[in-house]
Amino acid sequence: MATRFRNVDTALIHAGELEQHVEGALILPIFQSSTFEYTGQTSYADLRYIRLNNTPNHQVLHEKLACLEGAEAALVTGSGMAAISATLLTVLSAGDHLLAQNTLYGGTYDFLTQDFESLGLSFGLIDATSPETWSAHLTPHTKAIYVESVSNPLMQVADLTAVVAFARQHNLVSVVDNTFLTPLFYRPLEEGFDLVIHSATKYLNGHSDLVAGTVAGSSRWIKQINARLMHLGGSLDPHACFLMHRGLKTLALRVRQQHTSALEIAEFLDQHPEVCRVYYPGLTTNPYHQRAAEIFEGYGGMLSFELDGGEEQAKHTLQRLQLATDAPSLGGVESLATRPVTTSHSGLSPEARRQQGITDGLIRFSVGIEAAEDLIDDLKQAIEG
Ligand SMILES: *Cc1c(COP(=O)(O)O)cnc(C)c1O
């Protein structure tokens, strides 16, 4: 966090904002202009053009995000996947090898398994909770290590402290996808990660009305990633920048409530006689609770659970829920519930799902900002109905 803002709540509102209001407008207008007048720039990257990610709507977001992440620099991108692909294609060159967590977000997993080979890249999958197993996967060409702070859908918490130490020991670039926690609950750069990525589609925007991504780190890395992004073309439209900017201002209010409600809901489910498993690192009985309590300032708003009645009861419960919609994606103000086997993890083979422990009856719940009491009542009637 930049010294100017002692508290994240203040930074969310004021960090990065222009010194002067444009025409006195309280809110930064949308600069819906693909190109801008030439003012004597000497390098291509300094010309103002939407694809170059340097209109006023981009720049304000870059400053605000850098402040939130405690980073030298940050970049917004056209999607979370644009941030992930541009980052990995900057950090890695043909011939390089990546160590990646074995429970990756589906899109990231597909990028590795379907595109890496044709790009001359290779990867090895690691259990990010067992540092003692990682060295065996190193090759002379290993260049980077990639993990997620909390995994989807079983809320596994990687040994993030060990990832930073391992990366330093073996001279690897460390990259973490922190989508599930947001900078409010975990700031990986302060813990020694080189780069942090978000799907801003989720909590950072928080209103399920756009697709965007971010990456933050040293100025040197962000400059290189931006250069690659300019060529790949995954820039963010100014209108989407505006929406993300607006959504970001309430991040702290939203995710604190989502965290508090998620804990209450997890406790309710944990006590419910028809629920056989609850995955939420905030529960003291969760195997990752200790680690999460040490390194995170909150456990986030995502949880998942299994019912005694398995797949049939899960389907029935989803149908009966009145408040949460059955839909993929997460992190918005409206609660969503889904069976990952039908949505987020439908691309995995049944075998791969079984290996990860994702059953057909698993329900993933993205807690919105509705009253926790109402969400609990709704879950209760849906499970018992
Ligand atoms: C959704 C998601 C992504 C991909 O983001 P898009 O904005 O959909 O491209 C990446 N990582 C995680 C953890 C996600 O949940």
Side-chain angles (χ1 to χ4, degrees):
M1 186 72 41
T3 44
R4 247 185 90 201
F5 298 101
R6 198 149 28 100
N7 292 291
V8 66
D9 304 69
T10 311
L12 283 166
I13 307 303
H14 293 291
E17 299 295 327
L18 299 183
E19 300 272 324
Q20 295 254 314
H21 291 140
V22 178
E23 293 287 330
L26 180 66
I27 301 303
L28 181 70
I30 306 173
F31 286 81
Q32 197 70 45
S33 181
S34 58
T35 190
F36 288 68
E37 270 184 77
Y38 178 70
T39 54
Q41 292 93 331
T42 51
S43 96
Y44 179 74
D46 292 335
L47 295 173
R48 281 190 139 172
Y49 186 64
I50 290 175
R51 180 170 42 78
L52 307 188
N53 274 299
N54 58 8
T55 77
N57 296 100
H58 293 100
Q59 286 172 330
V60 166
L61 274 178
H62 292 165
E63 294 277 322
K64 200 184 281 295
L65 288 163
C67 181
L68 294 173
E69 302 276 18
E72 275 177 17
L75 185 61
V76 290
T77 60
S79 67
M81 282 310 300
I84 291 165
S85 55
T87 299
L88 288 177
L89 293 177
T90 303
V91 167
L92 304 171
S93 305
D96 287 344
H97 174 261
L98 174 74
L99 284 186
Q101 186 169 5
N102 60 6
T103 54
L104 291 176
Y105 170 74
T108 313
Y109 179 78
D110 290 346
F111 179 49
L112 268 52
T113 52
Q114 296 173 21
D115 300 323
F116 258 39
E117 194 179 344
S118 67
L119 296 165
L121 302 170
S122 61
F123 65 93
L125 295 178
I126 54 167
D127 174 351
T129 65
S130 302
E132 68 284 358
T133 62
W134 301 345
S135 309
H137 296 272
L138 281 172
T139 79
H141 303 290
T142 307
K143 188 77 183 292
I145 182 164
Y146 184 99
V147 295
E148 296 176 359
S149 47
V150 176
S151 80
N152 178 17
L154 298 178
M155 314 304 146
Q156 197 184 74
V157 180
D159 193 339
L160 298 161
T161 313
V163 171
V164 169
F166 186 82
R168 290 203 171 137
Q169 188 187 349
H170 299 285
N171 207 17
L172 310 177
V173 182
S174 52
V175 186
V176 58
D177 177 335
N178 191 35
T179 298
F180 274 37
L181 287 179
T182 84
L184 204 76
F185 295 142
Y186 182 52
R187 286 175 298 285
L189 302 178
E190 291 176 359
E191 307 302 320
F193 272 93
D194 294 308
L195 291 163
V196 57
I197 289 174
H198 288 270
S199 167
T201 310
K202 317 295 165 53
Y203 291 102
L204 294 188
N205 177 57
H207 291 73
S208 305
D209 52 11
L210 61 74
V211 169
T214 71
V215 50
S218 68
S219 304
R220 190 178 67 87
W221 271 127
I222 296 303
K223 201 169 166 207
Q224 290 181 47
I225 295 166
N226 194 29
R228 180 100 341 154
L229 191 75
M230 284 179 198
H231 302 157
L232 297 173
S235 52
L236 192 63
D237 177 81
H239 184 245
C241 289
F242 171 86
L243 288 175
M244 181 178 160
H245 189 172
R246 182 166 76 162
L248 201 51
K249 290 181 194 170
T250 54
L251 177 74
L253 297 176
R254 288 185 282 106
V255 302
R256 276 198 203 106
Q257 161 123 354
Q258 286 165 317
H259 157 91
T260 308
S261 298
L263 190 55
E264 278 180 49
I265 293 168
E267 279 163 358
F268 157 76
L269 291 169
D270 200 35
Q271 308 274 313
H272 196 286
E274 290 176 60
V275 175
C276 54
R277 269 210 187 85
V278 184
Y279 300 92
Y280 186 65
L283 290 176
T284 52
T285 48
N286 182 276
Y288 307 110
H289 177 71
Q290 194 61 35
R291 174 179 302 155
E294 275 165 27
I295 56 182
F296 303 154
E297 289 167 44
Y299 307 106
M302 293 297 297
L303 57 91
S304 51
F305 61 98
E306 275 171 45
L307 296 158
D308 286 339
E311 186 179 351
E312 280 318 303
Q313 195 181 7
K315 282 184 186 162
H316 187 66
T317 299
L318 287 181
Q319 276 162 9
R320 285 184 56 90
L321 280 173
Q322 306 273 313
L323 294 177
T325 302
D326 182 352
S329 198
L330 58 109
V333 293
E334 293 90 359
S335 291
L336 301 178
T338 187
R339 284 194 304 132
V341 64
T342 62
T343 53
S344 59
H345 291 70
S346 56
L348 291 187
S349 68
E351 179 54 28
R353 280 196 297 267
R354 202 170 26 254
Q355 269 177 9
Q356 287 194 29
I358 303 166
T359 63
D360 291 353
L362 186 76
I363 295 176
R364 188 188 75 183
F365 203 91
S366 169
V367 179
I369 62 168
E370 303 94 337
E373 187 185 17
D374 294 337
L375 293 174
I376 289 171
D377 282 351
D378 192 29
L379 276 163
K380 186 167 156 56
Q381 67 76 25
I383 293 169
E384 295 169 10

